[in-house]
Amino acid sequence: MDMTPEFIMLAFTLILALVQIGWAASARTAELGLKWNAGARDGEVPPPGRMAGRLIRAQANLFETLPIFAAAVIMAHVAGKDGGPLTLWGTHLYLFGRVIYLPLYAFGVAYVRSLVWGVSFVGLVMVIAALFV
C-alpha cells in the first residue's frame, strides 16, 4: 500500500523532529564540550546559551503540537477523511510552517516567526476540522 500524501507529510515532520533534536543537542555540546555530552551530566549545568536555548525552545515548541498533528493525521486516515483539501493543505501548511519556523526562531527573527507559527497552527486546525466534515 502506498503512503498517502498526508502520511508523507507526517513522515517528513518526524524527520524534522529528528533534525531539531540533533541541532539542539549539537549546539548544547558545542557550548559544554564532548566530555559533558558523553558524561552522566550529574551536577549543576549552566543554562543554555543564546543559540542552544533557542533551538531547545523551538524543539519543545514542535513537540507541543506534534502528537496532536500525528493523531489528527492518523485519525483522518482511519476515518476515511484524508485526501481532501483540508487534510492535504493542512498537512502541508503544518510541515512547511514548522520547517520555516525553525531557522526563524534559531536566528531570533521576531514577529515573522510568530506569523509562520500561526500558519502551521492553521494547518493543524484544518486537519482536525476535516474529521468533522
Side-chain angles (χ1 to χ4, degrees):
M1 172 161 96
D2 291 334
M3 285 205 321
T4 65
E6 294 88 349
F7 274 149
I8 292 169
M9 292 298 103
L10 177 55
F12 279 118
T13 303
L14 297 176
I15 293 168
L16 174 63
L18 294 175
V19 167
Q20 287 197 231
I21 291 168
W23 197 9
S26 295
R28 193 66 169 140
T29 300
E31 291 176 352
L32 299 174
L34 288 173
K35 184 176 179 182
W36 168 82
N37 193 358
R41 302 177 192 169
D42 295 330
E44 292 294 318
V45 178
R50 180 174 285 175
M51 179 62 78
R54 288 176 182 167
L55 292 170
I56 291 166
R57 289 189 300 275
Q59 175 188 326
N61 186 279
L62 173 65
F63 288 0
E64 289 174 356
T65 59
L66 181 55
I68 300 166
F69 177 69
V73 170
I74 293 166
M75 289 175 68
H77 182 73
V78 169
K81 301 282 187 161
D82 56 350
L86 282 174
T87 58
L88 289 172
W89 279 100
T91 55
H92 281 77
L93 287 173
Y94 181 82
L95 172 62
F96 291 116
R98 297 309 313 199
V99 167
I100 295 167
Y101 176 86
L102 178 57
L104 291 175
Y105 201 132
F107 296 108
V109 179
Y111 303 109
V112 175
R113 178 193 86 215
S114 297
L115 178 65
V116 170
W117 180 89
V119 169
S120 72
F121 190 78
V122 166
L124 174 58
V125 170
M126 289 171 70
V127 177
I128 294 170
L131 299 171
F132 300 98
V133 295

